[in-house]
Amino acid sequence: MRYTLVGNGRMGQQVQSVIEASPEHEVHAVLDVDAAITAGSFAGSDVIIDFTVRDAFLANLPAMIDSGVPVVVGTTGWDDQVERISAQAREAGASLMYSANFSLGVNIFLRTVREAAKMIGSFDQFDIAFSEQHHTAKADFPSGTALCAAQMILDANPRKKTVLSALSEDRKIRPDELQVASIRLGSVFGQHAAHINSDFDDIVISHTARSRQGFASGAVEAGRWLATKHRSTPGFYTMDNFLDEVLG
Ligand SMILES: NC(=O)C1=CN([C@@H]2O[C@H](COP(=O)(O)OP(=O)(O)OC[C@H]3O[C@@H](n4cnc5c(N)ncnc54)[C@H](OP(=O)(O)O)[C@@H]3O)[C@@H](O)[C@H]2O)C=CC1
Ligand SMILES: O=C(O)C1=N[C@H](C(=O)O)C[C@H](O)C1
């Protein structure tokens, strides 16, 4: 499988080393910030993996779609555009897979949080909040993973209606607001936690990334899966679709 990588930062380099460690895969090209990207930039490639920044991803997307090569997007910070872009990909007969987090561990964690949020929804005594910690070079907040978890909690728990990502100095949080707190600290790879509280107990469900390798391995596996999917059923996919298929 020949991969073209868009972005050569922390994640681009980690994806490159995962691909180079596998006899089945090869890096076809790496397109960094200086590349003038057109549809032709992806010729000869089986999969594109994008780890850049919101604006670069949005600017390069038309060329990626026009190339007809399936695209795995790890870049976060564009959740407000997901509906428009998924429709655009479907209309073009392209394949695009987006996840704010390609780590298998994180996706298992997210499903656990969803189940917990659903269960506590039946009992008024429980409150829930979410937190994330990342390195100080991270551009977006809350993390894409935290936003994804927050949406799952809002969908699962009728007592939470909106996300509050920054507290106000002059008012209390409302019971129907879900606090999503962000900490930027040193070189933390990524830590996410759901915090549940009642008068009787505290439940904390958490995931801590031990390196960037889990994100990168997941993105490479997702690329292999998407390339196969693209041949039979092009479309817009997420890690949920991938996991549903793998888990049967
Ligand atoms: N889905 C997942 O599993 C994960 C997602 N992420 C997300 O991935 C993204 C990247 O993270 P990370 O690698 O840590 O960030 P980095 O800042 O280390 O890397 C981003 C890279 O993109 C480059 N870039 C900027 N504009 C363009 C462009 N137009 N064309 C090509 N390359 C460009 C930057 O170059 P320069 O620095 O020279 O501007 C930089 O090298 C973030 O949105 C992050 O949240 C991170 C980890 C896991
Ligand atoms: O920027 C990062 O580093 C990470 N970003 C992703 C996110 O925004 O959720 C995933 C991971 O936690 C690392």
Side-chain angles (χ1 to χ4, degrees):
M1 189 79 62
R2 286 158 303 174
Y3 292 79
T4 291
L5 310 185
V6 186
N8 191 28
R10 285 173 291 271
M11 278 307 297
Q13 290 169 34
Q14 186 70 63
V15 170
Q16 185 165 359
S17 50
V18 166
I19 293 171
E20 284 170 355
S22 161
E24 295 168 60
H25 302 313
E26 70 180 78
V27 175
H28 182 65
V30 180
L31 305 175
D32 204 348
V33 67
D34 299 327
I37 292 175
T38 64
S41 309
F42 304 105
S45 163
D46 299 310
V47 184
I48 301 166
I49 299 188
D50 183 294
F51 279 101
T52 57
V53 290
R54 173 195 161 96
D55 290 351
F57 163 66
L58 293 175
N60 290 329
L61 183 66
M64 296 197 271
I65 287 183
D66 285 353
S67 73
V69 178
V71 189
V72 170
V73 189
T75 303
T76 54
W78 57 279
D79 284 11
D80 57 332
Q81 303 283 318
V82 166
E83 281 191 17
R84 180 181 69 78
I85 285 174
S86 58
Q88 195 182 331
R90 283 193 197 98
E91 274 161 30
S95 290
L96 197 86
M97 182 165 178
Y98 169 55
S99 176
N101 206 310
F102 282 103
S103 149
L104 274 179
V106 164
N107 281 279
I108 290 165
F109 157 78
L110 287 172
R111 287 184 172 215
T112 310
V113 171
R114 181 165 60 194
E115 283 311 303
K118 216 180 282 173
M119 283 188 276
I120 64 161
S122 306
F123 303 100
D124 286 350
Q125 72 210 56
F126 292 108
D127 193 16
I128 183 165
F130 198 86
S131 69
E132 57 101 343
Q133 289 186 35
H134 284 88
H135 54 95
T136 50
K138 183 161 177 60
D140 52 326
F141 96 97
S143 69
T145 310
L147 288 174
C148 172
Q151 192 54 55
M152 282 178 167
I153 294 168
L154 295 187
D155 291 345
N157 187 318
R159 290 197 301 284
K160 293 294 181 189
K161 306 271 189 237
T162 55
V163 169
L164 186 70
S165 55
L167 291 175
S168 263
E169 285 181 0
D170 58 357
R171 73 166 180 90
K172 291 187 263 185
I173 185 167
R174 291 196 314 265
D176 66 353
E177 289 175 319
L178 171 67
Q179 186 184 0
V180 177
S182 297
I183 290 179
R184 293 291 169 262
L185 176 65
S187 56
V188 173
F189 296 118
Q191 195 181 96
H192 293 93
H195 308 263
I196 295 170
N197 167 268
S198 78
D199 285 346
F200 311 122
D201 38 32
D202 289 292
I203 305 169
V204 180
I205 306 165
S206 76
H207 177 276
T208 304
R210 295 173 64 177
S211 70
R212 291 191 173 85
Q213 212 174 333
F215 311 138
S217 304
V220 171
E221 273 312 300
R224 188 222 297 262
W225 180 84
L226 187 66
T228 306
K229 207 81 195 155
H230 181 60
R231 278 179 231 126
S232 60
T233 334
F236 182 81
Y237 295 99
T238 65
M239 274 298 270
D240 251 349
N241 302 122
F242 169 81
L243 272 186
D244 284 347
E245 201 167 290
V246 172
L247 296 172

